[in-house]
Amino acid sequence: MKKRGPRPKPKTPDPSVVLLGKRIRSLRKAAGYTSHEAFAWEHGFARAQYLAYEHGRDLQFSTLLRIVRAFNMSLNEFFEEGFEEND
């Protein structure tokens, strides 16, 4: 059996990406979706991947655009709330 070294420590998430996830989650709930699965399914996202975004996993800009469009918002509207310095 091959000897394994210590597991690498998980990266600390970027605080801005965590805020992004919180914003996505709050918009989903405000849109009336109590479950991330329902939102993901209805808008063509893999449910586990979408949940990872809500929990602060980094995402590509093209994915962010798809999410913002799913909420029928512009990028300006998306970034208007939830990213204040004191959050």
Side-chain angles (χ1 to χ4, degrees):
M1 188 170 208
K2 200 174 194 179
K3 188 175 179 181
R4 297 181 186 191
R7 291 184 181 190
K9 291 183 181 179
K11 286 188 341 181
T12 304
D14 182 306
S16 295
V17 178
V18 172
L19 287 176
L20 185 71
K22 287 180 180 180
R23 175 71 168 146
I24 292 168
R25 185 179 318 115
S26 70
L27 287 170
R28 171 184 52 83
K29 289 180 177 183
Y33 292 92
T34 56
S35 135
H36 77 276
E37 289 104 341
F39 180 85
W41 183 83
E42 191 169 310
H43 296 284
F45 295 99
R47 68 176 176 77
Q49 191 66 43
Y50 178 79
L51 181 62
Y53 299 145
E54 284 195 3
H55 284 233
R57 183 168 178 204
D58 207 353
L59 65 152
Q60 293 181 346
F61 186 71
S62 58
T63 303
L64 176 61
L65 290 175
R66 285 183 57 214
I67 292 170
V68 170
R69 288 178 186 140
F71 290 118
N72 294 315
M73 302 177 91
S74 69
L75 284 173
N76 287 340
E77 291 169 318
F78 180 81
F79 286 108
E80 279 179 346
E81 295 179 29
F83 297 96
E84 293 81 20
E85 290 290 322
N86 296 332
D87 275 354

